[in-house]
Amino acid sequence: MDIELDWSTHRREAQGSDNFQLTWADDDNLYGAWGDGGGFGGANDDGRDSLGFARIEGGWNTYRGYNVWGGKNAENPPQFPGKSWGTICVGGVLYSWIVPDNPDAAGSGDGFRFTDDPAVAWPRDHYRYVHLARSKDHGATWERAPWRWWREDNLIVATFLNHGRDDDGARDEFVYSYFLRPERTDVTQSEFKLNVHKPGALFLARVHRDHIFAGRDAYEWFGGVVKGKPAWGPLASKQPVFENPEGTGWCVSAIHNRALGRYFLATEHGVSERGSLGLYDAPAPWGPWTTVKYWTAAHPFGQTRPGSALEWKDNIFFFSFVPKWWGADGREFTLLFTGAGKGQDNDSLNTVRGRFIMRKPPAPPPPEKTPDGPAGP
């Protein structure tokens, strides 16, 4: 399998705001988080918020975005800062994995108190913890769970595995999430920066769809494949579900393509913010993974873009498939990507239409010849 992108369809919105992993909600709209900008209609310093949530209405070539929570002329004000690369809709409720900008607690464990007062916050550190937020009104207001995953758990930035509309098409009653393994459990953003973590590894957790917000103990962790089936257990038993010695980036995306029956995973490797991205696929959320496309710093994502005249720099660090905009046979898609343009170029929501190119099965071997001619039945 390979992919081909139609750069004549390249579209750019929400200049100055990045991230934008999207989920397909029960109301038929797309929702997702953006960071450090004004969202749709804003700019890097116009309506800027640390974290915002957007609603996108329409089709892949006619869509329009709205700032639901945060950003310029927002429908609702933001309630707290942070960043997110993982949102999902299940049963009409939006859930989002949030990492902090300035953490509000120093130690691991329960008993912390939320405070977004910068006077008492710690230095900016997306790696400090991951916490969950949910919205029962399609992003207008958000509630944060009173529990967290900590860096000391050997876990940092997380994303959800998305399926179809309102998580339709899920393989079972569980919701799956991928967590990055940090290079070290004492790593901080001020020291390590937003760089690739080497060697790269991802962990996989699952939780019943009725208990997503219930707490840490509701989650089970992939512990390897035993007799052909995945083993699930407590946090201490977790094993990597994906590994790459060249690293994983500081964010990841994951989605299921129902028509093709494949799961797709995307993250960086090698060096960050240089278009060094890998796209992988598997028959199940736990693998085994094969490589669909592997861009490098020498040959980055978007190196050539025939048909697009939009300003460009090789600074892409994240992409994901838009769950609503698959083609009927699963082969056509819309790819959403974002980069580190400091308010310019790819620091924005970018979409481009593409399609999968399926490898042809090998031709059968020619029939064996006998002295009297080809062998027959």
Side-chain angles (χ1 to χ4, degrees):
M1 187 185 300
D2 198 353
I3 69 169
E4 179 179 76
L5 300 177
D6 178 4
W7 285 99
S8 70
T9 66
H10 183 194
R11 180 174 167 183
R12 179 171 290 159
E13 301 289 342
Q15 189 68 62
S17 301
D18 55 9
N19 306 338
F20 283 106
Q21 182 271 322
L22 301 176
T23 192
W24 188 7
D26 60 309
D27 65 357
D28 201 35
N29 294 317
L30 294 161
Y31 292 86
W34 45 262
D36 289 340
F40 287 95
N44 197 47
D45 55 359
D46 183 9
R48 182 183 178 99
D49 279 309
S50 163
L51 175 66
F53 284 89
R55 178 182 68 253
I56 296 179
E57 301 177 3
W60 70 265
N61 58 347
T62 60
Y63 67 86
R64 183 175 179 182
Y66 302 86
N67 296 329
V68 178
W69 186 95
K72 186 175 182 180
N73 299 323
E75 297 171 2
N76 302 277
Q79 298 166 262
F80 49 83
K83 297 290 178 289
S84 175
W85 295 272
T87 303
I88 196 170
C89 186
V90 181
V93 178
L94 295 175
Y95 298 89
S96 191
W97 289 119
I98 309 290
V99 298
D101 270 341
N102 302 101
D104 58 15
S108 61
D110 296 330
F112 62 86
R113 64 184 182 90
F114 286 115
T115 173
D116 297 319
D117 181 355
V120 297
W122 291 77
R124 189 176 195 185
D125 191 356
H126 295 341
Y127 302 143
R128 187 68 197 94
Y129 52 75
V130 181
H131 65 270
L132 186 64
R134 70 179 174 186
S135 173
K136 298 181 179 180
D137 50 16
H138 293 110
T141 60
W142 290 83
E143 171 193 8
R144 290 181 287 185
W147 51 271
R148 295 173 173 171
W149 304 109
W150 297 88
R151 180 174 58 217
E152 290 84 355
D153 293 320
N154 209 21
L155 303 169
I156 55 172
V157 186
T159 196
F160 285 105
L161 170 61
N162 266 268
H163 295 88
R165 179 175 176 176
D166 202 28
D167 209 40
D168 179 50
R171 63 185 296 121
D172 50 36
E173 292 298 305
F174 292 93
V175 173
Y176 293 83
S177 297
Y178 295 89
F179 289 73
L180 292 157
R181 184 183 70 187
E183 189 164 308
R184 307 189 315 270
T185 55
D186 64 346
V187 67
T188 64
Q189 187 174 337
S190 59
E191 173 198 2
F192 191 79
K193 312 299 181 187
L194 296 179
N195 287 318
V196 170
H197 294 257
K198 300 177 183 179
L202 301 175
F203 296 112
L204 178 64
R206 72 175 191 177
V207 63
H208 192 277
R209 60 188 293 121
D210 294 338
H211 305 297
I212 301 170
F213 215 64
R216 288 168 55 113
D217 291 343
Y219 286 72
E220 300 176 302
W221 295 84
F222 174 80
V225 175
V226 179
K227 296 183 178 179
K229 295 183 178 181
W232 301 96
L235 179 66
S237 68
K238 69 182 184 298
Q239 297 293 326
V241 72
F242 170 89
E243 296 181 272
N244 182 359
E246 295 188 347
T248 53
W250 40 277
C251 50
V252 63
S253 70
I255 195 168
H256 178 236
N257 183 316
R258 183 193 294 189
L260 296 182
R262 304 296 288 183
Y263 295 83
F264 291 94
L265 185 73
T267 189
E268 292 181 293
H269 58 86
V271 60
S272 186
E273 301 179 359
R274 292 284 301 279
S276 299
L277 294 156
L279 175 62
Y280 313 92
D281 76 316
W286 45 86
W289 299 99
T290 55
T291 302
V292 177
K293 196 80 172 180
Y294 204 74
W295 294 272
T296 65
H299 300 285
F301 173 88
Q303 185 176 35
T304 60
R305 301 169 308 287
S308 175
L310 294 174
E311 182 184 2
W312 186 270
K313 290 185 180 178
D314 292 326
N315 54 19
I316 304 300
F317 64 82
F318 176 78
F319 74 72
S320 62
F321 293 99
V322 180
K324 183 180 176 180
W325 296 336
W326 296 113
D329 64 357
R331 297 192 180 189
E332 291 188 348
F333 58 79
T334 296
L335 200 65
L336 184 156
F337 61 91
T338 190
K342 297 186 183 298
Q344 305 297 316
D345 52 81
N346 294 311
D347 183 10
S348 52
L349 181 149
N350 294 266
T351 57
V352 63
R353 197 69 173 164
R355 66 186 182 96
F356 291 109
I357 300 178
M358 313 303 289
R359 297 192 179 105
K360 295 180 180 180
E368 295 183 5
K369 292 185 177 181
T370 68
D372 297 323

